[in-house]
Amino acid sequence: MEKHSDEENGVEEEPRSLEQKEKRKGKHDKPKPWDDDPNIDHWKIDKFDPSWNDGGMLEVSSFSTLFPQYREKYLQEAWPMVKSSLKEFGVACELNLVEGSMTVSTTRKTRDPYIIIKARDLIKLLSRSIPAPQAIKILDDEMQCDIIKISGMVRNKERFVKRRQHLVGPNSSTLKALEILTGCYILVQGNTVAAMGSFKGLKQVRRIVEECMLNKMHPVYNIKVLMMKKELEKDPALAQENWDRFLPKFKKKNVKQKKVNTKQKKPYTPFPPPQQPSKVREPLINISDRAGFLPLMYRFSSTHVPNNNKVNN
């Protein structure tokens, strides 16, 4: 069959303008009427109802993670508590002491599709030295977790340890202040920082940790800013205003230290240094001026001229 173009059929195509293409490109990014609605809490997570998924899961999903050897004894003691808490959501778990791994998988009783992701986060937190009672809280819908890797942010090991200590502070005072202001549980250990809390709090924790490890801002300054924001939130008149004029501004100041020049750099000369006089041809008489007299040291040769005045017998 012959294909006829639209021009042959008497229909002309209307050329699409650039404006129509641009409008079509971002048609899904249009503002929604509920974006700016003050009565809607966008951070709220609705609790899962098992009646939404009566049929259960069609496929088996599983996750596994390794744990260090020093956690083996603790996990073996706390595993019955972990197993019973996962059983309530219909998730099976297994602790393999030979391979040093933990595995979670869905069963026929599993109703919530997202609970397997929560179970995966649970075994990750357990392997990161978080206590089991605290790690089990991740199974709640309102609790989230974030594991921040800080090992690749600083190359020098001494600087890495020093900046990581800034997050903890003296007697863990800085860490406790961050936990109170952000509402998150924070654990700094090894090359990672594990945090548990709401999405809003985890976002603040990640920003503070990254700024500290990259030497952009000390955690103490971030604590001051968070305290100011807590006070401004109490005033309803300032809810819709910009808070930049109230917040303190910290500028990074690098104090230049004067370097002591211990060695003065000699000017470059392409010619070699002059030849020093030979020590073999030094004068045999050493004259030194001390206390106003000149002692002389003579050298007599082994062969000397005999005295002619002496008469041989």
Side-chain angles (χ1 to χ4, degrees):
M1 295 178 66
E2 296 181 0
K3 294 181 180 180
H4 300 282
S5 63
D6 293 336
E7 294 180 358
E8 293 177 359
N9 296 332
V11 180
E12 295 182 358
E13 289 185 354
E14 295 181 358
R16 294 181 179 178
S17 61
L18 295 174
E19 295 179 359
Q20 291 178 351
K21 290 182 179 180
E22 291 177 358
K23 287 181 180 179
R24 188 170 182 81
K25 184 178 180 181
K27 67 175 183 177
H28 301 292
D29 300 333
K30 291 180 181 179
K32 309 297 187 298
W34 54 82
D35 287 343
D36 299 327
D37 192 353
N39 298 324
I40 299 176
D41 187 7
H42 298 283
W43 293 100
K44 185 180 179 182
I45 300 173
D46 296 331
K47 191 174 181 180
F48 179 78
D49 189 359
S51 61
W52 296 349
N53 187 16
D54 292 331
M57 308 295 291
L58 298 176
E59 296 289 339
V60 177
S61 301
S62 63
F63 293 97
S64 62
T65 184
L66 301 175
F67 59 87
Q69 190 176 3
Y70 67 88
R71 292 286 290 172
E72 181 178 339
K73 186 178 179 181
Y74 176 79
L75 290 174
Q76 196 172 2
E77 295 175 356
W79 196 249
M81 180 172 54
V82 176
K83 192 173 183 178
S84 61
S85 60
L86 288 174
K87 190 177 181 181
E88 296 177 3
F89 298 94
V91 178
C93 59
E94 182 185 357
L95 177 66
N96 193 338
L97 298 176
V98 178
E99 297 180 358
S101 64
M102 293 179 285
T103 308
V104 290
S105 59
T106 57
T107 60
R108 293 181 180 180
K109 296 181 181 180
T110 307
R111 294 291 178 266
D112 188 1
Y114 193 70
I115 195 63
I116 188 63
I117 304 297
K118 291 280 191 177
R120 179 201 64 180
D121 295 339
L122 171 61
I123 58 177
K124 276 188 178 181
L125 294 172
L126 288 172
S127 63
R128 298 281 175 184
S129 301
I130 292 182
Q134 177 66 31
I136 289 172
K137 294 179 182 178
I138 196 63
L139 298 175
D140 297 337
D141 291 334
E142 297 178 357
M143 185 71 69
Q144 310 297 328
C145 75
D146 188 11
I147 297 173
I148 308 165
K149 294 183 179 180
I150 58 176
S151 57
M153 295 182 182
V154 187
R155 292 184 178 180
N156 192 346
K157 189 176 180 180
E158 294 180 358
R159 290 181 183 176
F160 171 76
V161 175
K162 189 177 180 180
R163 293 177 188 177
R164 186 181 61 183
Q165 186 61 29
H166 289 168
L167 288 171
V168 180
N171 299 325
S172 302
S173 58
T174 306
L175 193 65
K176 290 176 183 176
L178 289 174
E179 287 181 346
I180 294 170
L181 293 171
T182 59
C184 297
Y185 172 84
I186 307 171
L187 178 69
V188 181
Q189 185 177 12
N191 296 328
T192 57
V193 177
M196 293 176 61
S198 61
F199 283 116
K200 188 177 180 181
L202 292 176
K203 189 177 180 180
Q204 293 175 343
V205 171
R206 176 172 278 273
R207 179 178 56 82
I208 292 169
V209 170
E210 289 179 352
E211 286 181 354
C212 176
M213 297 307 296
L214 296 174
N215 201 23
K216 290 182 178 180
M217 187 180 289
H218 198 278
V220 174
Y221 299 139
N222 277 312
I223 289 171
K224 292 181 180 179
V225 173
L226 289 174
M227 291 174 66
M228 290 291 294
K229 287 182 178 179
K230 287 281 185 183
E231 294 295 326
L232 292 170
E233 285 176 359
K234 297 178 182 178
D235 192 355
L238 300 173
Q240 303 296 331
E241 293 186 10
N242 191 6
W243 294 347
D244 290 342
R245 58 195 175 109
F246 300 107
L247 300 177
K249 296 180 180 179
F250 304 102
K251 292 183 179 180
K252 186 178 178 182
K253 295 181 181 180
N254 291 331
V255 181
K256 294 183 178 180
Q257 297 179 354
K258 294 182 179 180
K259 295 182 179 179
V260 181
N261 294 327
T262 55
K263 294 182 180 180
Q264 294 182 355
K265 193 175 181 181
K266 296 180 180 179
Y268 173 74
T269 53
F271 305 104
Q275 188 176 3
Q276 298 296 328
S278 177
K279 293 183 179 180
V280 179
R281 297 182 181 181
E282 286 182 352
L284 299 177
I285 299 174
N286 183 14
I287 302 173
S288 60
D289 188 2
R290 287 186 182 181
F293 66 93
L294 301 174
L296 302 179
M297 298 177 67
Y298 298 96
R299 178 183 174 186
F300 297 94
S301 60
S302 57
T303 58
H304 60 278
V305 180
N307 192 1
N308 294 328
N309 298 327
K310 192 176 181 179
V311 180
N312 294 328
N313 295 328

